[in-house]
């Protein structure tokens, strides 16, 4: 995010907050994950391929008996997913999670491009995680956007936050933020444990453990 807390701007061209070294770090985290998740809104806005770009990292996954690419995951409440988006046509397996009432629409839109799984009457994230676990997913990388970050964090489902702070200001209150308003576990009194702080070029990476308190740190 930017220094003032935004993850993008509202301009037509996507704002690149990270630098080359941080993009490479993200590629490494993707390669170490069993699945990568983005929300449908982010998919429509950014149209990402969501791949492990390093050939060496893909080869390392294959040598470990894993698919070259992690499973790609998205969630949608409306089922408004375009089959022409890049997400569906690059990488390995894909799966969509949605309320049961939306399953038929998603299947009609996507055909055989992805598995479609209903999570009950609502978009149930714990049910989604249980299904991913049954598919062998032990480490899920959640890339965003704001609504997805907020849902995972308010429901206490995130084990780590990797927050990369770029040395720029966006200065646009209409731009998407890292999270939206929400009731976060422990509220504003909960001080998360900081596991790591380091420079990645001109970006500062902070790794938080949201389920732990800063009071757990030993001197």
């Amino acid at each position: 995010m930017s220094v003032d807390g935004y993850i993008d701007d509202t301009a037509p061209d996507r704002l690149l907050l990270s630098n080359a070294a941080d993009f490479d770090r993200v590629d490494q985290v993707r390669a170490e994950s069993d699945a990568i998740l983005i929300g449908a809104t982010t998919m429509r806005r950014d149209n990402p391929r969501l791949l492990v770009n390093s050939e060496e990292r893909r080869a390392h996954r294959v040598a470990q008996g894993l698919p070259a690419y992690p499973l790609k995951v998205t969630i949608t409440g409306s089922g408004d997913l375009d089959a022409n988006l890049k997400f569906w046509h690059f990488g390995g397996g894909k799966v969509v999670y949605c309320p049961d009432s939306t399953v038929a629409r998603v299947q009609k839109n996507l055909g055989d491009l992805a598995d479609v799984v209903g999570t009950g009457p609502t978009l149930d994230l714990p049910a989604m995680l249980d299904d991913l676990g049954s598919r062998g997913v032990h480490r899920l990388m959640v890339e965003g956007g704001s609504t997805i970050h907020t849902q995972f964090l308010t429901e206490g489902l995130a084990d780590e936050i990797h927050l990369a702070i770029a040395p720029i200001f966006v200065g646009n209150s209409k731009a998407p933020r890292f999270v939206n308003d929400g009731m976060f576990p422990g509220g504003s009194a909960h001080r998360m444990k900081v596991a790591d702080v380091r420079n990645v070029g001109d970006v500062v990476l902070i790794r938080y453990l949201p389920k732990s308190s800063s009071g757990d740190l030993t001197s």
Side-chain angles (χ1 to χ4, degrees):
M1 70 179 190
S2 64
V3 170
D4 50 346
Y6 297 98
I7 59 172
D8 207 340
D9 203 347
T10 57
D13 294 332
R14 183 185 177 194
L15 176 65
L16 297 180
L17 291 166
S18 294
N19 55 35
D22 190 53
F23 281 125
D24 187 65
R25 177 194 64 82
V26 170
D27 196 63
Q28 178 67 44
V29 177
R30 287 180 180 178
E32 294 171 351
S33 301
D34 300 306
I36 310 168
L37 183 149
I38 61 169
T41 299
T42 300
M43 189 190 305
R44 289 188 290 266
R45 185 186 67 217
D46 296 342
N47 195 18
R49 296 185 304 164
L50 215 67
L51 301 176
V52 174
N53 294 309
S54 166
E55 183 177 351
E56 182 179 350
R57 289 172 183 145
R58 295 197 303 270
H60 182 67
R61 286 178 57 87
V62 172
Q64 293 179 306
L66 300 171
Y69 297 98
L71 180 70
K72 298 202 299 187
V73 181
T74 191
I75 60 178
T76 176
S78 68
D80 182 17
L81 296 172
D82 186 344
N84 293 315
L85 292 172
K86 296 175 184 177
F87 182 92
W88 313 112
H89 301 285
F90 295 89
K94 294 94 179 173
V95 60
V96 179
Y97 293 93
C98 59
D100 289 350
S101 59
T102 310
V103 168
R105 181 183 182 190
V106 175
Q107 290 175 330
K108 181 180 179 181
N109 287 346
L110 298 182
D112 61 358
L113 291 174
D115 290 343
V116 183
V117 180
T119 60
T122 63
L123 193 53
D124 187 326
L125 294 186
M128 178 197 73
L129 293 176
D130 286 343
D131 185 79
L132 286 173
S134 72
R135 296 169 183 262
V137 173
H138 302 289
R139 187 179 191 188
L140 173 66
M141 181 183 184
V142 180
E143 292 208 18
S146 305
T147 299
I148 301 302
H149 293 155
T150 305
Q151 288 174 310
F152 269 85
L153 290 167
T154 55
E155 294 188 36
L157 300 175
D159 296 308
E160 293 191 12
I161 301 172
H162 293 194
L163 187 61
I165 303 176
I168 63 172
F169 291 95
V170 170
N172 180 358
S173 63
K174 296 180 180 179
R177 301 185 71 90
F178 169 51
V179 292
N180 300 322
D181 293 348
M183 295 294 293
F184 297 90
S188 58
H190 175 61
R191 302 178 71 90
M192 296 182 292
K193 181 176 180 178
V194 178
D196 185 33
V197 180
R198 60 187 171 95
N199 287 67
V200 184
D202 65 354
V203 166
V204 176
L205 175 67
I206 309 174
R207 189 164 61 90
Y208 292 101
L209 306 181
K211 296 180 181 179
S212 301
S213 168
S214 60
D216 295 342
L217 289 169
T218 58
S219 57

